[in-house]
Amino acid sequence: MLRTIAGKRYYGKEVVDQEAKQFQIIMREVTELQGSSNLNDFLPVLQWVDFQGLEKRMVILKKKMDMFFQNLVDEHKRMRSSASIQSVNEVTKMTLIDVMLSLQEIEPEFYTDEVIKSVILVMLLAGTETSSTTMEWALSLLLKHPETMHKAWAEINKNVGQARFLDESDLTKLNYLQNAIDETLRLFPPAPLLIPHESSEECTVSGFHVGQGTMLLVNLWTIHRDPKLWVEPERFRPERFGGVEAEGYHYQLLPCGVGRRACPGAALGRRVVGLALGALIQCFEWEKIGESEINMLEEAEIVIPRAEPLEALCKPRQTMINLLYDL
Ligand code: HEM
C-alpha cells in the first residue's frame, strides 16, 4: 500500500533505515490502539481522568502520524519541484501522493495537505490489515484442504502456465481462486461486525422498530454461517460459488458491507489478495508442519487475525525456479 501511496517499501529484511522503523512502530501502535476498548466510552465519568490513559496515547500518536505523513507529502513536493515538467507528468511513475498533488495544483482549496494526509491514513488503516488477514486465512484454509490447493494450482497452471508470473489481467480467468477467496471471506470475514452504523432516521427493519440514532452492529460472522442461508455452512467449499448453486446467493455474502457505506476498496482488496495468493500458489508447493491439524482459532480484535500466526513449509516449484532466480 505504501508503494502505491508514496513509492516506498518499508517492509522486508533489507529495510533497515530509520524512516521504515519509525513507520513500523507507528503502525504497530495504531493496530494496538484501534483494537482497545476505551472504558471512558461506557462510563463517561472516567473521561475526567482518562482512566486508562488511552486518549493521551491517541493524541500523541496522531501527532506522530501527522508529522510522518506531512514529511512524505513535503518530500514529494520537493521532488516535483526539482523534476522536469515532463517527468512530473509521466503517469506511469506517479504515486498516489503525486496524483493528489497534481490535483492540488488545480483545486488547492479542496486538495489541501490535510485531505491528502487523510486519504493516506484511511488507505493504511482500512486497506492493509483487511487484505493481509484475508491472505493468511485463505492460505490456512487451502493448507487444511490440499485438494482445493491443488485445484487452484491446476487452474493457474492451465490459464497462466509456468513461463511467466501471473499478473492482474489473469485474475478474471481464475474463477476457482476467486471462489476460494470468497469462501475464505465467508468463513473468516476480517471485520465480522462490519463498522458500527447509526440510523439517521427512525425506521422499521423486518418488523423491528429502530429509533433515530440507534447504533447498529451487524453480526456478519453469524450471517455467513447461518444454516438457513448456506448449505453445510461450516464447510470450506469454494465450489459453492461456482455454477447453479451460486445463483441463489445474493445478499448473504457481505464481507465488505453493503450500500452507501460499504467498503470502497473492495475491488482493490480482492485484486491484491488474488495476486498475492495466486503468486504463492503458482511459485511454491505448500505443506503444513507436522501431523497436527492447523489451528483455526481467531483472536478477538477489530480485524480478526489468526490466534497463532500461520506457519507452513514451502518449496519453490521446480518449473518456477528459473523465474524466481531472475527476480
Ligand atoms: C479483503 C479486503 C477488504 C475487506 C474484507 C474490507 C472490508 C470492509 C468492511 C467490512 C468495511 C465496513 C463496511 C460497513 O460497515 O458496511 C470496510 C470499510 C472501508 N474500507 Fe474496506 N475492506 C478491504 C479492503 C480495503 C482496501 C484495500 C481499502 C482502501 C485502500 C479499504 C478502504 C475502506 C474504507 C475507506 C472504508 C470505510 C468506508 C465508509 O465508512 O464509508 N478497504 N471495509
Side-chain angles (χ1 to χ4, degrees):
M1 201 57 80
L2 234 303
R3 285 175 81 186
T4 311
I5 294 170
K8 295 193 176 212
R9 189 184 164 89
Y10 287 152
Y11 286 90
K13 63 179 184 316
E14 76 275 18
V15 176
V16 285
D17 67 282
Q18 281 308 317
E19 187 178 317
K21 274 196 193 137
Q22 202 189 345
F23 176 75
Q24 290 180 12
I25 292 170
I26 291 177
M27 288 313 285
R28 214 169 298 137
E29 199 167 357
V30 168
T31 316
E32 215 181 293
L33 286 177
Q34 209 173 218
S36 53
S37 274
N38 189 357
L39 288 180
N40 301 3
D41 291 340
F42 304 104
L43 294 169
V45 67
L46 297 177
Q47 280 170 11
W48 289 99
V49 287
D50 186 14
F51 183 60
Q52 296 152 289
L54 285 178
E55 288 175 19
K56 194 169 162 213
R57 278 179 67 194
M58 283 177 190
V59 171
I60 297 172
L61 179 63
K62 152 99 187 24
K63 279 195 191 132
K64 267 197 246 170
M65 273 197 302
D66 192 67
M67 211 188 301
F68 191 90
F69 295 148
Q70 188 64 55
N71 285 341
L72 281 183
V73 174
D74 290 344
E75 190 183 318
H76 277 74
K77 281 185 184 168
R78 283 196 300 276
M79 283 187 320
R80 289 170 67 79
S81 64
S82 62
S84 68
I85 294 295
Q86 201 182 1
S87 61
V88 162
N89 291 334
E90 216 177 300
V91 177
T92 47
K93 285 191 186 148
M94 274 213 193
T95 62
L96 184 92
I97 298 183
D98 288 319
V99 173
M100 307 251 325
L101 285 176
S102 53
L103 292 168
Q104 193 177 60
E105 283 160 20
I106 306 164
E107 279 185 83
E109 63 293 341
F110 183 76
Y111 290 98
T112 59
D113 282 4
E114 286 304 305
V115 167
I116 300 180
K117 284 184 285 182
S118 309
V119 173
I120 299 178
L121 181 65
V122 96
M123 285 186 71
L124 289 173
L125 290 190
T128 49
E129 290 260 312
T130 40
S131 309
S132 62
T133 306
T134 308
M135 286 173 208
E136 203 179 4
W137 282 119
L139 199 54
S140 311
L141 284 161
L142 290 172
L143 274 161
K144 220 172 145 54
H145 301 88
E147 71 293 350
T148 50
M149 176 82 90
H150 183 78
K151 278 189 190 172
W153 173 75
E155 183 185 61
I156 295 171
N157 207 21
K158 181 169 163 230
N159 289 285
V160 185
Q162 297 157 356
R164 63 174 179 87
F165 292 121
L166 72 82
D167 67 29
E168 230 178 298
S169 61
D170 297 312
L171 290 178
T172 48
K173 291 172 266 164
L174 303 178
N175 293 330
Y176 192 81
L177 181 73
Q178 295 295 342
N179 293 346
I181 294 169
D182 276 344
E183 183 70 334
T184 304
L185 289 166
R186 181 182 72 81
L187 287 168
F188 298 98
L193 297 179
L194 296 182
I195 292 176
H197 289 246
E198 202 176 279
S199 51
S200 49
E201 283 172 24
E202 192 179 37
C203 56
T204 305
V205 180
S206 301
F208 292 98
H209 172 251
V210 183
Q212 187 187 19
T214 306
M215 187 186 280
L216 174 75
L217 295 168
V218 177
N219 192 339
L220 199 62
W221 198 92
T222 309
I223 297 173
H224 281 182
R225 291 176 186 238
D226 186 344
K228 289 204 266 339
L229 301 176
W230 304 94
V231 180
E232 296 182 290
E234 298 296 328
R235 226 179 113 195
F236 176 67
R237 201 166 55 85
E239 289 75 9
R240 74 174 76 240
F241 291 112
V244 188
E245 191 179 340
E247 286 167 19
Y249 299 145
H250 296 297
Y251 281 107
Q252 279 111 300
L253 183 73
L254 309 168
C256 297
V258 70
R260 262 194 289 180
R261 297 306 293 269
C263 173
L268 174 62
R270 269 171 203 277
R271 233 172 259 192
V272 170
V273 174
L275 263 182
L277 195 64
L280 290 176
I281 298 170
Q282 184 191 26
C283 297
F284 300 96
E285 282 170 32
W286 291 89
E287 252 178 60
K288 64 186 172 85
I289 298 176
E291 290 304 305
S292 52
E293 277 297 310
I294 292 176
N295 185 345
M296 299 299 271
L297 279 179
E298 298 150 297
E299 192 67 78
E301 286 179 20
I302 280 210
V303 171
I304 300 286
R306 290 176 47 84
E308 288 170 11
L310 176 66
E311 284 186 8
L313 288 173
C314 70
K315 92 173 172 216
R317 292 191 191 275
Q318 275 303 320
T319 47
M320 299 300 288
I321 280 183
N322 287 343
L323 273 182
L324 286 166
Y325 250 122
D326 293 341
L327 267 185

